[in-house]
Structures are given as C-alpha cells and as structure tokens.
Amino acid sequence: TDLLELSLQNNKLREIPPSILRFLDLEILNLSHNDIQKLPRMAKFEGLAELYLNHNSLTYLPPSIGLLTDLESLSFQHNPLLDPPSQIIDQGNACVMAHLLKQEAIRYTNKLEMRSLESRSTYLDVIPEPWFDLPVQHMLSLDVSRNWITSIPDSISKITELRYFDVSNNRLAVLPQALGHLSKLSEFIAHHNNLVLIPDEMRSLQSLELFDIEHTLLGCPPDQGKARNARGQVEYILALIQGRMVGSLDLQGMELTEIPADVLIWPGDSLQSLEFSAALSQSLVEGTAKISPLTELRFNDNKLLHVPPAIHALTDLSSIHLHQNCIVTVCAELVSLKNLTFLDLSENQIRSLPLDVKFSNSIKIMKLSGNRLAEIPQSIGDVGMLQVLL
C-alpha cells in the first residue's frame, strides 16, 4: 500500500485491475498503450500527481478525476474521447479538470452547467453522450446555453428526473421527439435559436410551467387565452407549424380574443383557411380583415351576434362556416361575395334574409337550417350554381 509509482503500459488491459485501487498512496500511474475502455472512480487517489492514459480505448474521462487537486500531469492523447470534447481539450488541462469537476459536482448541486467559456472562446457544438449516463438522480438541471449546439440527441430521454433544461442561444433548428419523455420537466428555455419545428410529443409534458422560445422562427405565443400558460403555448406553436405545412390554421379552443401577430404576418399567401372557436370575440373577427388572401373561415360554435362588416373585405373567401352562433341578421354584403361557394349559417337565430339583394351566383351550398326564418327570398332562386339548400 506504500507503492508510489506504478507502470502498466504496453499491456493488453481492458480495465484497471481492482487490486490497484488498494494503492492509495500512488503519485504516478502509467496506463498508456493498453485497451482500457473505462476507468473506475479515481477520487481515492488523492495524492496522484501524474496520470498517463495515452493510447487506450477511452470514450470519456471519469468526472472524479476533477477531484484530484494534486494532479500536475494528465495525459490522454490517442483515445476516441467523446467527453471532454475537443473544444475543452484544446484549452489545456486546467480547462479539462474544471470541466470534469462540474460533472462531479452534480452529486452535491443536482445541476450541470456547461455554458460557453466566452472568455476563452470555447463553444460546444454537441452535448457529449457520456453526460446522459451521469447519475440520473442528480441530473435535475442542465444548462448548455450560449454554445453552438445544433442538435439535442435522443439520449436526452435517459435523464428522466430532469426539471430544468436551458439550451438558449444555440443553433438549434428542430427539437427531438425524445423531449416528450421528460415527464418531470417544468422549465424549458430555448430562446435565441433557429427553431422551426417542435415535436408533437411535447404535448405530453404535463409538468411544464415555463416554455421560452422567444426570438426563434417558431412564433411568439400571445398573452391571451390558453396561450398564457406553458402547455397552451406548446399547443399554439404546434398549431402554427401545422398551419404552415398545410395552409390551414386551426386555433379552436385556444380562447383567443385577438388575432395573434403571427397570423397577421403569415409568410406569403400560404394561409387559406382560418378556424377559431369557443371564445371568439367580435374584435378578433374584425381582425381577420387584415389577413389576405383567405379562402375559408371557420367560426363555428361561438357567440357571434352578427357577421362583422370586416369580413366583407375578404373578397377571396369561397367558404364561410358560421354554424351554431347567435346571429340574428345577415347583411347583403356577405351573401354577395363574388367567390363564395359555401355558406353555413345553420343553428343561429336568423329571422330574415335580405329581400332586395342579389345573391352571389357562385354559391353552390347554403345551409340555413335551425334558424327562425319565416320566408326565403325569391332571389335565391336566381342563383344558377346553387345545388344544395338546407
């Protein structure tokens, strides 16, 4: 046990023999030129001054090496290391030791913080795989903000106890489906990235209380309705993503009272259909006049008292769904929209239709059932394209 120097280089060792762990007074340990794939916890070698690990098969250095305060020489060239990453290694052994010590410290802090070392221009471009095998009970918080990370590996799902995850100020474009497995995640921070896509699986994050995706390409959830809370913000962003793909935006159930800015600045002319329901306000409906060229509006199951004049400005509309509202009157401008082919006014409280108006000749289907109509204007009979009148 009084052994101070031990050299086992140039053998075929694949692991350190357990007997070595008895030599607690070691000052020099040379394990170079072997086939060692994994090291044990090294904290017991408190007096170790020199450690040589060159030419082995190590994929990571154990965090416990960071506890060896007497270590003066650490050599580990020619190993297929994933951690420490090359950006850390290039900064020298002091930076490597600090990197390892941060990982070891999670046993006491439950937090792993690997922000960029801006003073040294050190930026990670990946999250090292070995981090996902750290003691899961201590991995409650992970901060890798202000780096150059382009993707989050699926291995993130291994950190099942994770509560706080900060990947802000990176270069992420998409988030992995594996995030949906982090059932205890309560705070997710990803602002200032290039995000364009989040997975549907994020709907399953029942504990989510903070969802920060500001200054990304996803959009900005409005401070209204269900979008005021984190899970509602996830739903809103997923609706935007789906809408951009298919050109039809469904925001029903979001309880919005105003048209979100993301809708008003919709890219190009790709938005053709817009759907709201449940808590639709008059001001929100009027805001649709700013969206062009919409071809379909779905405002079913609301409490609209009348059809706002603003809708008349949407001259490209071909389909209007106003089923089950509280509409009492219908103005001439609505039924005379030149491109209108489908009009659903069923289940309202309409008592009469304009008698002296020329209905759009393009209307093919008109639904009026479930109202309080006493008569139907004769001018409807002049609609040459009309195929169905219910």
Side-chain angles (χ1 to χ4, degrees):
T1 59
D2 295 331
L3 187 66
L4 299 180
E5 181 177 348
L6 177 62
S7 177
L8 293 172
Q9 61 179 329
N10 292 306
N11 284 287
K12 296 182 180 180
L13 296 175
R14 305 193 69 177
E15 61 181 20
I16 294 182
S19 57
I20 293 179
L21 300 179
R22 299 200 307 264
F23 303 129
L24 302 183
D25 296 326
L26 275 178
E27 295 180 358
I28 300 174
L29 178 59
N30 190 342
L31 299 169
S32 298
H33 293 276
N34 281 285
D35 191 25
I36 298 172
Q37 300 175 7
K38 183 179 179 180
L39 294 173
R41 275 187 63 80
M42 306 292 288
K44 291 183 178 180
F45 299 110
E46 296 179 356
L48 197 64
E50 300 178 27
L51 177 60
Y52 300 98
L53 302 167
N54 304 313
H55 293 278
N56 276 285
S57 300
L58 295 169
T59 56
Y60 69 96
L61 297 182
S64 56
I65 289 179
L67 296 173
L68 304 180
T69 55
D70 289 344
L71 198 61
E72 298 174 356
S73 178
L74 173 63
S75 185
F76 48 84
Q77 288 80 13
H78 304 289
N79 280 278
L81 287 174
L82 299 175
D83 188 52
S86 60
Q87 296 93 328
I88 300 294
I89 294 173
D90 291 344
Q91 297 299 319
N93 280 353
C95 191
V96 169
M97 293 293 284
H99 177 82
L100 296 175
L101 187 58
K102 282 185 177 181
Q103 295 179 57
E104 180 65 19
I106 69 167
R107 296 175 181 271
Y108 316 103
T109 64
N110 295 324
K111 177 179 181 179
L112 180 56
E113 182 178 296
M114 292 293 182
R115 291 186 172 193
S116 67
L117 302 177
E118 294 179 349
S119 61
R120 302 188 180 200
S121 300
T122 302
Y123 301 93
L124 301 180
D125 54 13
V126 297
I127 302 178
E129 282 287 339
W131 291 7
F132 304 117
D133 293 318
L134 292 170
V136 66
Q137 70 273 22
H138 296 299
M139 286 288 283
L140 306 185
S141 174
L142 178 58
D143 183 350
V144 289
S145 60
R146 300 184 181 279
N147 282 289
W148 291 350
I149 295 170
T150 57
S151 65
I152 300 173
D154 289 337
S155 306
I156 190 71
S157 61
K158 294 181 180 180
I159 315 179
T160 54
E161 298 296 316
L162 194 65
R163 267 76 162 174
Y164 176 94
F165 189 19
D166 188 348
V167 288
S168 61
N169 291 279
N170 276 284
R171 299 179 176 182
L172 297 170
V174 300
L175 299 178
Q177 296 177 353
L179 280 178
H181 297 292
L182 303 179
S183 60
K184 297 182 180 179
L185 188 66
S186 61
E187 297 182 56
F188 180 70
I189 303 170
H191 59 77
H192 290 90
N193 274 281
N194 300 320
L195 288 172
V196 295
L197 189 65
I198 67 172
D200 288 343
E201 285 76 7
M202 291 194 73
R203 285 192 174 100
S204 63
L205 298 179
Q206 303 288 330
S207 301
L208 195 64
E209 296 178 358
L210 175 63
F211 179 62
D212 185 354
I213 44 85
E214 289 189 8
H215 302 288
T216 68
L217 302 178
L218 290 170
C220 184
D223 186 21
Q224 52 174 304
K226 291 187 177 180
R228 285 193 176 99
N229 64 65
R231 296 188 64 204
Q233 291 162 8
V234 170
E235 291 291 346
Y236 172 82
I237 293 299
L238 287 172
L240 289 186
I241 292 171
Q242 178 67 15
R244 289 165 184 154
M245 291 179 177
V246 301
S248 177
L249 180 58
D250 183 357
L251 293 175
Q252 60 177 328
M254 290 300 302
E255 300 181 2
L256 303 179
T257 56
E258 297 180 6
I259 296 289
D262 295 310
V263 180
L264 297 177
I265 59 172
W266 199 268
D269 297 335
S270 61
L271 183 58
Q272 299 177 342
S273 176
L274 179 61
E275 181 169 1
F276 286 90
S277 70
L280 187 63
S281 71
Q282 206 71 27
S283 62
L284 186 148
V285 179
E286 292 171 356
T288 58
K290 302 175 183 177
I291 308 170
S292 181
L294 276 181
T295 60
E296 181 178 36
L297 274 183
R298 291 180 175 269
F299 287 164
N300 297 323
D301 303 302
N302 287 281
K303 297 180 181 180
L304 289 176
L305 299 177
H306 67 276
V307 182
I311 288 182
H312 310 150
L314 298 171
T315 55
D316 291 304
L317 280 177
S318 62
S319 180
I320 301 177
H321 302 253
L322 295 168
H323 170 78
Q324 203 164 346
N325 281 281
C326 302
I327 298 171
V328 176
T329 60
V330 177
C331 55
E333 289 84 357
L334 177 68
V335 296
S336 59
L337 286 170
K338 63 179 181 179
N339 292 310
L340 191 63
T341 61
F342 179 95
L343 177 60
D344 186 355
L345 292 167
S346 60
E347 304 299 330
N348 278 280
Q349 299 179 29
I350 301 171
R351 296 180 180 274
S352 64
L353 293 173
L355 297 176
D356 56 348
V357 67
K358 178 177 175 57
F359 285 79
S360 173
N361 198 50
S362 61
I363 297 178
K364 296 181 179 180
I365 300 175
M366 185 183 300
K367 295 185 176 183
L368 297 170
S369 59
N371 281 284
R372 300 180 181 181
L373 291 170
E375 61 178 324
I376 301 295
Q378 293 184 355
S379 55
I380 288 183
D382 297 331
V383 181
M385 300 292 290
L386 188 63
Q387 300 174 4
V388 179
L389 177 62
L390 299 173

